[in-house]
Every structure is written in C-alpha cells, then in structure tokens.
Amino acid sequence: MDFSLSETERDLVDLCREFAQKEIAPRAPAAWEAAVCPTDLLREMGALGLLGMLIPEEWGGIGMSTVGFVAAMEQLGLADQSVAAAWQAHVTIGSLPLYLFGDDAQRDRWLRPLAEGRSLGAFGLTEPDAGSDARGISTRAERRDGGWIINGRKAFISNAGTDMSFGVTLLARTAGDDDARPTYASFVVETDTPGFTVGPKLRGIGWRGLDTRDLFFDDVWVADDHLVGDPAMGLNQFLGTLEVGRISIAALSLSLTQAVLDLATDYAKERVQFGQPISKFQAVQFKLADIATELEAARWLTYRAASLRDAGLPFRKEAAMAKLKASRLATWAASEAVQIHGGVGYMLDSPVARFYCDAKVLEIGEGTNEIQHLVIARALGC
Ligand SMILES: Cc1cc2nc3c(=O)[nH]c(=O)nc-3n(C[C@H](O)[C@H](O)[C@H](O)COP(=O)(O)OP(=O)(O)OC[C@H]3O[C@@H](n4cnc5c(N)ncnc54)[C@H](O)[C@@H]3O)c2cc1C
C-alpha cells in the first residue's frame, strides 16, 4: 500500500496549510467566543476552489481525490475545528447527494453554486425521534398539485441557517405506503420556500462556529423537479453518502489529534517542574508516544478507506473502522493533552481546551461509534 500524494494533492495541501495558518488560525479564539459560523472565511475557501473539492470540474468543482481531501483536512482542522467541520459537512454530505443522485438540471441549478463556493449545502436526515434509527423518520412527503407537500421536522442540521445556505437536501417518507414497508425519497427544499423555517442556532460543547439548527416543514410544497434520484432509493442514497462522511469525520479526528499532540509536546518542553521540563518525566513522554503511535495507526486506516473509494472499491467497513478508531483517539488524546497542560489546559483561553471541547462530537456525528461497531460487525457476518 502506498498513500504518497500526487503533485496535485501536494499542491492542495500547501494551499490549505497556508490558508489555515494565515487566515483561519489567527481568528480561532475570537470565533470561539462569537459562536457564529464564519461564512466570510468559507466564501474565501470557495474562491480557492475548496468548497467543490469532491465535485468534478464539469459541475464547478476541482475533482480532487478522496485521499487529497483527507490530506487537505489534516491542514484545515489543525487551525479551527468549527471551520473544518462546516467545510467538510458541505463538501461531503451537503453536496454529494446532488452530485451522485441528481439529474443534470439539478446539478446545474444547485450543485454548481455549492461547488463554486457561492452557497452552502446541508443534509437533513436526523429527527427528534430518529437519529441512529434512520428508518424511523416521520417527515412525510405526499404527492400534491404536480409536486410534493412536505411536513415534519429535522434535528441538529448543520449549514442550513447561515447567510450563504442554499436550503437542505432532506430525506422523507413518501406517503401512501404501507408503514410496515415504508419507502423514502430525498428532496431539495430551498431557503425561503413558504412553510420552511429554521430554529435558533443550537449551542454545543464544541464546534461553536458550526451552524446547527432544527428545521421545520409545515405544508412545504416543492415541484417534482425537487425530487432527487430514484423515489424508492432515498434511504440508500442517504446512508451511502454517510459512508463518505465517515471518512471525513475520521480525517477531522486526525487533525484534532495532531493539533493536541503538537500543543502538548511544545508545552511539555517549556513547562518546568522539579527543576526540569516536564517532557523529561517518563509519565509525560509515554502519553505523547502513545498518542503519536495511535495517530499513525488511525492515519493509515483513514487513508486506506479514502484510497478504496478513489479506486471505486467498497469501503463501508473501512470507513466505519477509520471513524471509530480516529474519533476515539481524538477524545482520548485531547484529554491526555489537557492533562499534560495541567490547570492551564482546563482554561478556555488555551487552544488545547477548545480542542478538548471540539472532540466529543466526533464520536456522535455521522453515525455514533456504537453504530460504527454495528456496521463493522455486520461486515464480519454477525
Ligand atoms: C453538532 C452536530 C451536528 C450534526 N449535523 C447533522 C446534519 O448536518 N445532518 C443530520 O442529518 N444530522 C446531524 N447531526 C445528528 C447526528 O447525526 C446524530 O446526533 C447521530 O446520528 C445520533 O443520533 P441521536 O442523536 O438521535 O442519538 P440516538 O440515536 O438516540 O442514540 C443515543 C445513544 O444510543 C445509542 N444507540 C442507538 N441505537 C443503538 C443500537 N442499535 N445499538 C447500540 N447503541 C445504540 C447511540 O450510539 C447513542 O449512544 C448532528 C449532530 C450534532 C451533535
């Protein structure tokens, strides 16, 4: 296995490193305090082509490989996890359903502005009573007046309530079906469609800059051309899209782990106790060595899942393994890094504390880690 980057991928990594260091990192502390999605930064990333990363040039993107996307994330996530979270949600689950399942007219109308960075994409699956159990959604779409009427509510939806949000691609049960054998379809609902409203921005432990809200659909009518893909295959489309999202969350986890490893190593070399830097204490050294070793293992799993996707091979199990391993590592490594910082690391003015807060959601979003266990166990034939 060789995961060395091509020249194009290396150029992209350089671009992301420079943008992250110059434009994102200096604003991270203030962005944390403000707790607002920095859409001006996302627009700048769009101008650099970063918002259409996994979309071919034909539809306004830059047609990057999944391996290149992971490598880009490793740079962006070092600077600010909220910005990286908004970016990755847009690039994967926010844009891919339209690219993979939409027709050319839909791609031209909605995907192109997303890929060119003129608008932000959102993925509406979760509901108050249906998270892990995606089949349990109750949002309904019924045929009416040459189109569809949608009623229901979505919970914790990212990127749908900002000043550059285009709306949402959502999953709904299609009415008229026997509930014992329900069918599901996906639809685009644009911002400003009558009956579609967004709730207030939700406040999380971390990812404070990510715009996450509940969405409400009250007799929302959309024309037939808003139905995305095969009307009987909506659930498969959404679950398939989440597989790419899992590689993305794994990559975000790698970036967080690298960030806290760097911070803890630097701090351990500077902080003097008992007459010597704490990096000279074996207990501290072992923590750092363990994080570095686990990070390398998680990195290999993540790049492997990404390279399988690039090769057009199945990657469901590998994506679940990468997400499980990397997100568990991120929460543990962040905790160890705070420990190495002592009291300073507990204070929210320190970058390591912000990364600690940002880590937990990595074990929840795009399928909880318990669900990743189920996916892996099923692949084992259980
Ligand atoms: C910041 C943030 C952003 C998000 N953005 C989006 C978004 O853009 N779009 C979107 O659609 N969703 C989004 N989500 C929702 C997210 O995908 C769900 O929170 C997640 O899938 C879990 O669903 P739930 O919260 O309903 O938890 P539940 O499904 O209720 O799970 C609760 C607990 O039960 C466990 N559990 C459930 N079923 C099983 C089982 N069969 N076996 C073992 N354990 C089980 C879970 O692992 C978990 O520990 C976001 C969430 C957050 C926090």
Side-chain angles (χ1 to χ4, degrees):
M1 283 188 291
D2 175 16
F3 301 134
S4 52
L5 301 180
S6 67
E7 197 181 330
T8 316
E9 290 163 345
R10 282 201 306 274
D11 287 347
L12 174 77
V13 168
D14 290 343
L15 175 81
C16 290
R17 182 186 300 112
E18 199 181 326
F19 186 81
Q21 287 175 359
K22 277 197 186 148
E23 307 295 335
I24 304 180
R27 289 179 49 178
W32 173 276
E33 289 303 326
V36 174
C37 180
T39 46
D40 55 330
L41 270 179
L42 291 167
R43 283 197 172 88
E44 286 180 41
M45 291 167 74
L48 295 173
L50 301 180
L51 265 60
M53 189 155 283
L54 295 177
I55 306 300
E57 287 178 24
E58 184 187 0
W59 300 109
I62 61 169
M64 184 49 60
S65 63
T66 320
V67 164
F69 167 70
V70 171
M73 170 66 88
E74 287 214 67
Q75 298 304 322
L76 296 173
L78 280 178
D80 186 333
Q81 289 277 301
S82 291
V83 173
W87 171 73
Q88 65 83 30
H90 164 90
V91 167
T92 60
I93 57 177
S95 302
L96 286 175
L98 285 164
Y99 171 58
L100 295 173
F101 311 110
D103 60 29
D104 282 359
Q106 293 171 330
R107 288 169 169 176
D108 206 40
R109 181 172 177 185
W110 294 305
L111 179 64
R112 190 179 296 286
L114 294 176
E116 290 177 351
R118 289 181 281 128
S119 58
L120 208 54
F123 175 88
L125 173 59
T126 307
E127 299 185 358
D129 294 328
S132 302
D133 180 13
R135 282 178 179 76
I137 61 165
S138 53
T139 295
R140 278 192 175 272
E142 291 174 60
R143 277 220 147 276
R144 180 107 49 97
D145 303 332
W148 299 82
I149 287 278
I150 300 172
N151 278 292
R153 174 177 176 175
K154 295 288 172 183
F156 311 131
I157 307 305
S158 302
N159 287 347
T162 75
D163 60 9
M164 66 182 290
S165 299
F166 96 111
V168 61
T169 309
L170 63 80
L171 189 72
R173 266 173 197 254
T174 39
D177 297 306
D178 173 1
D179 271 348
R181 296 173 62 100
T183 56
Y184 306 84
S186 55
F187 299 88
V188 166
V189 175
E190 292 171 284
T191 306
D192 296 333
T193 306
F196 170 37
T197 49
V198 301
K201 180 177 177 296
L202 298 167
R203 300 185 321 131
I205 299 172
W207 281 4
R208 289 169 54 108
L210 181 70
D211 191 279
T212 300
R213 300 169 190 258
D214 287 0
L215 311 181
F216 303 88
F217 305 88
D218 185 10
D219 280 340
V220 171
W221 184 85
V222 293
D224 232 357
D225 60 6
H226 287 53
L227 170 70
V228 180
D230 185 329
M233 296 300 285
L235 185 63
N236 289 26
Q237 292 170 10
F238 263 53
L239 296 182
T241 304
L242 279 176
E243 289 175 23
V244 190
R246 285 168 189 163
I247 297 177
S248 182
I249 296 294
L252 195 52
S253 306
L254 297 182
S255 69
L256 188 146
T257 305
Q258 185 68 62
V260 297
L261 175 61
D262 293 347
L263 289 167
T265 307
D266 289 348
Y267 185 79
K269 287 181 189 164
E270 281 166 17
R271 175 69 174 168
V272 173
Q273 289 293 281
F274 300 98
Q276 57 181 333
I278 59 171
S279 63
K280 296 295 173 201
F281 299 127
Q282 208 175 50
V284 173
Q285 291 173 358
F286 280 21
K287 284 190 202 301
L288 296 171
D290 273 342
I291 296 172
T293 306
E294 291 294 315
L295 175 56
E296 212 48 33
R299 197 169 263 138
W300 276 81
L301 276 178
T302 307
Y303 278 90
R304 162 102 173 121
S307 70
L308 286 173
R309 177 173 190 264
D310 288 338
L313 295 168
F315 61 96
R316 177 182 297 157
K317 179 186 72 181
E318 289 76 8
M321 287 175 164
K323 198 260 179 189
L324 176 63
K325 170 87 180 168
S327 63
R328 280 205 295 213
L329 168 61
T331 51
W332 169 75
S335 174
E336 292 291 65
V338 168
Q339 194 69 19
I340 289 171
H341 279 75
V344 163
Y346 180 74
M347 298 303 157
L348 279 173
D349 290 335
S350 73
V352 77
R354 293 197 296 271
F355 282 114
Y356 176 82
C357 296
D358 285 332
K360 184 60 198 170
V361 69
L362 298 165
E363 296 189 311
I364 297 171
E366 321 255 344
T368 64
N369 279 4
E370 290 75 17
I371 296 305
Q372 308 312 316
H373 277 108
L374 289 180
V375 171
I376 297 162
R378 275 190 204 124
L380 296 174
C382 298

